[in-house]
């Protein structure tokens, strides 16, 4: 159960907020001073702190440093009066994750409370899973597509029939192939991969099937191919749609008879190899244009596993993002505890044409440039101008830039941004629309 600490000198406010925290199913703690609050933080594992800026024994912003020294992972939301709104914005630079301006509606408090606690629990679960498995690329997610995918992997692992994995670039076709290999009896052998799209036809035949001494000009000695090396294990043919047409009959024979011949060889070699192939192109279209044999396709496609694109996986994207964030933060020895609401919205709203690979790259880049304890952006939005660029901006462009910065500082809270900019919410909406 999440624990919430309210540091507020008004007893009435402490009681009301503590009661609301309790009704939401969390455990409330209350302190009337900064000193009392630090004592509670030292004795309890607190998840979230609501901190009044104007305490009798301390300034709330100055208290942020000892709070994070006592509890480095705690989230802090500032409680401030209207006159201290600018100080509250500055508190975001000091490590606070949000703020509420008094007087506030209990509905606003409840929204921030539940959103931050839910975000912390989700991030903690993802980080724990990543640490337990020591992997950032497992078949994770609770979307219907991922539940189906895991079931299909289990089915494929129980048999030795050929498998054809289809999906867009970056969805993790090799990861699925390796998952089948690990869960199957073939996992006792080796996992051998060849990318059919990276080698020339002449080299690919030798790589796959090996060659005898003197088979061609540079064949000074006999050499095993990948098929023979994979004997007793799994051969993964990535981008099978690029397999040269003249090699396709040899692969078909391997699948049907479990035999092959080396380049320049005169005898058949028997192997026990599990074949898994993958493609991001339409094999049906390749067949129609004559670039792929239909009989080979039917033999490869005994079991078909289609990986859903990331854009169709709902909130799975946030789970994966949290795992990547935790992994890269630990690798780079940074203490980044999660995403800001704006960053989460960026992640959720993006189409991710490059799928999981694109997400992983964006999170890694975000961690590299992050200097705080929250990732504010994954680099999906248009880059803000530098100070040198600002000198060449028009007045309207400068206004747009300033509005964006204020919105970012307030977690995209338009009411708070309008107060800081000293304009009405209606005027701010008009400027944003323009």
């Amino acid at each position: 159960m999440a624990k919430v600490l309210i540091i507020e000198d008004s007893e009435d406010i402490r009681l009301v907020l503590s009661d609301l925290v309790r009704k939401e199913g969390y455990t409330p703690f209350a302190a009337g001073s900064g000193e009392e609050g630090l004592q509670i933080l030292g004795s309890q594992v607190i998840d979230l702190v609501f901190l009044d800026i104007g305490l009798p024994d301390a300034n709330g912003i100055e208290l942020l440093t000892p709070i994070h020294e006592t509890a480095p992972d705690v989230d802090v939301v500032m409680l401030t009066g209207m006159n201290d709104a600018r100080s509250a914005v500055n508190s975001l630079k000091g490590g606070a994750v949000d703020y509420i301006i008094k007087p506030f509606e209990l509905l606003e408090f409840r929204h921030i409370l539940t959103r931050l606690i839910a975000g912390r629990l989700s991030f903690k679960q993802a980080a724990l899973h990543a640490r337990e498995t020591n992997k950032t690329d497992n078949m994770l997610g609770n979307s219907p597509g991922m539940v189906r995918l895991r079931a299909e992997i289990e089915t494929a692992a129980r048999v030795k029939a050929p498998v054809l994995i289809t999906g867009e670039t970056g969805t993790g076709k090799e990861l699925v192939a390796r998952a089948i290999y690990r869960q199957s009896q073939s996992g006792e052998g080796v996992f051998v991969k060849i990318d059919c799209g990276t080698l020339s036809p002449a080299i690919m035949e030798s790589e796959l099937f090996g060659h005898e001494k003197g088979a061609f000009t540079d064949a000074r000695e006999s050499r095993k191919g990948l098929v023979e090396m994979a004997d007793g294990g799994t051969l993964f043919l990535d981008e099978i749609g690029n397999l040269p047409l003249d090699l396709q009959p040899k692969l078909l024979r391997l699948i049907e008879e479990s035999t092959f011949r080396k380049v320049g060889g005169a005898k058949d070699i028997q192997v026990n190899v599990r074949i898994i192939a993958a493609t991001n192109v339409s094999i049906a279209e390749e067949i129609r244009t004559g670039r792929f044999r239909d009989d080979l396709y039917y033999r490869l496609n005994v079991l078909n596993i289609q990986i859903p694109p990331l854009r169709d996986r709902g909130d799975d994207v946030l789970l994966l993002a949290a795992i990547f964030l935790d992994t890269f933060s630990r690798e780079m020895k940074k203490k980044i505890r999660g995403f800001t609401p704006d960053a989460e919205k960026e992640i959720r709203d993006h189409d991710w044409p490059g799928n999981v690979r694109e997400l992983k790259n964006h999170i890694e880049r975000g961690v590299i440039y992050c200097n705080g304890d929250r990732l504010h952006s994954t680099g999906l939005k248009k880059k803000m101008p530098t100070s040198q660029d600002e000198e060449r901006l028009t007045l309207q462009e400068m206004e747009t830039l300033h509005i964006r910065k204020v919105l970012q500082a307030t977690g995209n809270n338009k009411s708070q941004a309008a107060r800081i900019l000293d304009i009405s919410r209606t005027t701010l909406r008009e400027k944003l629309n323009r």
Side-chain angles (χ1 to χ4, degrees):
M1 183 180 294
K3 297 179 180 180
V4 180
L5 171 60
I6 299 160
I7 306 177
E8 163 66 55
D9 60 339
S10 169
E11 184 177 4
D12 290 341
I13 294 178
R14 289 201 306 272
L15 291 173
V16 170
L17 297 185
S18 295
D19 186 54
L20 194 151
V21 167
R22 192 177 293 105
K23 286 180 179 178
E24 291 300 319
Y26 311 131
T27 302
F29 293 84
S33 66
E35 182 180 358
E36 185 182 358
L38 289 173
Q39 289 175 354
I40 294 174
L41 281 168
S43 61
Q44 298 287 335
V45 180
I46 301 295
D47 294 283
L48 179 60
V49 174
F50 287 91
L51 173 62
D52 186 20
I53 280 187
L55 294 168
D57 63 336
N59 177 286
I61 296 178
E62 295 174 355
L63 201 60
L64 285 170
T65 297
I67 282 177
H68 282 129
E69 288 175 350
T70 305
D73 292 333
V74 75
D75 287 336
V76 181
V77 177
M78 307 303 295
L79 303 176
T80 178
M82 182 72 72
N83 295 332
D84 288 327
R86 292 184 182 276
S87 297
V89 173
N90 290 333
S91 71
L92 299 180
K93 300 177 182 178
V97 298
D98 208 339
Y99 64 88
I100 306 177
I101 297 178
K102 302 176 185 177
F104 53 83
E105 298 288 338
L106 290 182
L107 188 62
E108 182 181 3
F109 177 88
R110 178 179 175 276
H111 173 72
I112 290 178
L113 169 70
T114 55
R115 172 174 58 79
L116 289 177
I117 292 295
R120 280 182 64 85
L121 293 177
S122 175
F123 182 73
K124 280 183 175 180
Q125 290 168 358
L128 178 62
H129 189 96
R131 286 175 179 143
E132 287 176 345
T133 61
N134 197 29
K135 293 183 181 295
T136 62
D137 48 20
N138 277 319
M139 301 294 105
L140 301 175
N142 301 313
S143 63
M146 290 307 295
V147 172
R148 172 189 56 78
L149 177 62
R150 288 194 292 269
E152 290 177 347
I153 289 172
E154 291 179 6
T155 299
R158 289 195 294 267
V159 297
K160 290 201 66 176
V163 180
L164 180 63
I165 303 169
T166 57
E168 297 177 4
T169 298
T171 50
K173 294 184 286 295
E174 182 178 345
L175 299 177
V176 171
R178 289 185 180 275
I180 295 170
Y181 160 72
R182 285 194 300 269
Q183 295 180 34
S184 68
Q185 292 181 349
S186 298
E188 297 174 359
V190 295
F191 181 92
V192 177
K193 172 192 172 183
I194 183 169
D195 189 335
C196 301
T198 60
L199 300 175
S200 67
I203 295 176
M204 188 178 297
E205 183 175 12
S206 176
E207 283 291 313
L208 267 176
F209 302 107
H211 60 258
E212 297 290 0
K213 182 178 180 180
F216 47 86
T217 304
D218 293 328
R220 297 182 176 87
E221 58 185 20
S222 180
R223 181 174 178 271
K224 284 185 177 182
L226 296 179
V227 171
E228 197 170 356
M229 292 179 184
D231 189 17
T234 297
L235 177 66
F236 176 51
L237 301 164
D238 199 10
E239 302 305 339
I240 189 67
N242 293 313
L243 185 70
L245 196 58
D246 60 344
L247 291 186
Q248 293 178 23
K250 296 192 71 170
L251 179 60
L252 180 61
R253 184 183 180 219
L254 173 67
I255 296 172
E256 292 185 332
E257 302 176 12
S258 298
T259 60
F260 72 98
R261 286 188 182 184
K262 291 183 177 181
V263 178
K267 65 177 183 178
D268 292 342
I269 299 175
Q270 190 85 22
V271 288
N272 177 23
V273 175
R274 170 73 181 274
I275 302 292
I276 301 178
T279 180
N280 65 349
V281 299
S282 170
I283 297 295
E285 178 63 20
E286 296 296 294
I287 293 172
R288 190 187 68 79
T289 57
R291 292 193 293 267
F292 205 89
R293 293 174 59 116
D294 55 356
D295 52 357
L296 175 58
Y297 170 67
Y298 297 137
R299 289 301 295 135
L300 287 171
N301 199 38
V302 175
L303 293 176
N304 180 264
I305 295 180
Q306 186 169 6
I307 307 176
L310 191 54
R311 61 181 172 276
D312 292 342
R313 291 174 54 182
D315 283 344
D316 284 357
V317 65
L318 293 177
L319 173 66
L320 289 170
I323 289 174
F324 293 143
L325 179 64
D326 178 72
T327 300
F328 291 126
S329 296
R330 287 186 287 116
E331 286 180 1
M332 300 178 198
K333 294 180 172 56
K334 293 189 175 185
K335 294 182 178 180
I336 305 175
R337 302 198 308 276
F339 301 94
T340 63
D342 273 359
E344 285 190 355
K345 189 174 187 306
E346 283 182 29
I347 293 168
R348 190 183 291 108
D349 292 348
H350 190 57
D351 282 341
W352 300 109
N355 292 290
V356 178
R357 184 183 298 131
E358 180 188 4
L359 172 66
K360 187 174 182 180
N361 291 343
H362 273 292
I363 299 301
E364 182 176 15
R365 181 166 57 248
V367 172
I368 289 172
Y369 290 108
C370 182
N371 295 317
D373 60 357
R374 291 274 168 174
L375 195 64
H376 288 267
S377 174
T378 58
L380 298 174
K381 292 183 177 180
K382 185 178 178 181
K383 186 180 177 182
M384 288 285 193
T386 64
S387 57
Q388 291 181 339
D389 294 330
E390 291 177 9
E391 295 174 1
R392 295 187 290 272
L393 295 179
T394 65
L395 186 60
Q396 184 168 341
E397 288 171 337
M398 282 293 293
E399 180 186 71
T400 300
L401 175 60
H402 182 58
I403 291 174
R404 284 178 179 171
K405 287 181 176 178
V406 173
L407 281 169
Q408 186 179 38
T410 61
N412 209 36
N413 187 312
K414 294 180 178 60
S415 296
Q416 294 175 5
R419 295 189 193 107
I420 294 170
L421 293 166
D422 198 23
I423 58 177
S424 68
R425 185 181 170 87
T426 302
T427 301
L428 175 60
R429 188 183 302 112
E430 291 173 353
K431 290 180 180 294
L432 291 173
N433 290 337
R434 185 171 65 248

